[in-house]
Amino acid sequence: MGCYYPILDHFRNCSVSSTEAELNGLCMGDFDEVGKKALVNFFYFIKRALEVEVDYEMIQALLDRTIQLYSDIIPTLPGMKELLMNMKQSQEKSWKRLQGLMQQSLCLVELFSNIQL
């Protein structure tokens, strides 16, 4: 995760309510230039977490809630289209890996359930 590790560690140790407060305070609206830069940086953090395939469920929850909160601001941010396209590719790659692991687990369960002792 490189320079984003402290952010990841912070969210790992946050409760649900404090995570919600952190995300709500990220950007105050379209007029908040500093908040919009923070929002872009937060998306870079999420992109990096998707690339290194760490804490998949937590990152998905953060991404979902951030999009819910800032869906009106995100399209106006510069460079977001390219960033979101890269995130989509990373997310698809991670999901394919998880699907393969789930399929492998299901095959093992089926194999072991058919073994007669």
Side-chain angles (χ1 to χ4, degrees), residues 95-105:
W95 179 243
K96 285 179 183 178
R97 185 181 73 83
L98 283 174
Q99 278 183 318
L101 290 172
M102 287 188 286
Q103 181 64 34
Q104 184 180 25
S105 296

Side-chain angles (χ1 to χ4, degrees), residues 22-115:
E22 294 272 349
L23 293 178
N24 280 327
L26 200 56
C27 182
M28 298 300 155
D30 198 34
F31 60 89
D32 184 9
E33 294 301 319
V34 174
K36 290 195 293 189
K37 288 179 185 175
L39 192 56
V40 169
N41 288 333
F42 188 73
F43 275 101
Y44 276 109
F45 157 72
I46 291 175
K47 176 182 173 279
R48 182 67 182 143
L50 289 170
E51 288 172 350
V52 298
E53 299 175 352
V54 64
D55 291 325
Y56 186 80
E57 294 85 6
M58 181 184 74
I59 297 301
Q60 292 300 315
L62 289 172
L63 178 60
D64 178 59
R65 188 62 186 139
T66 304
I67 290 173
Q68 286 177 6
L69 289 170
Y70 301 109
S71 60
D72 55 334
I73 297 172
I74 292 170
T76 66
L77 298 173
M80 282 303 289
K81 184 176 181 178
E82 296 83 20
L83 178 61
L84 292 173
M85 292 302 289
N86 290 338
M87 285 175 62
K88 179 184 176 212
Q89 291 171 351
S90 297
Q91 191 172 26
E92 286 173 349
K93 180 184 169 195
S94 295
W95 179 243
K96 285 179 183 178
R97 185 181 73 83
L98 283 174
Q99 278 183 318
L101 290 172
M102 287 188 286
Q103 181 64 34
Q104 184 180 25
S105 296
L106 287 172
C107 289
L108 288 172
V109 167
E110 185 176 336
L111 173 72
F112 291 130
S113 66
N114 289 331
I115 293 177

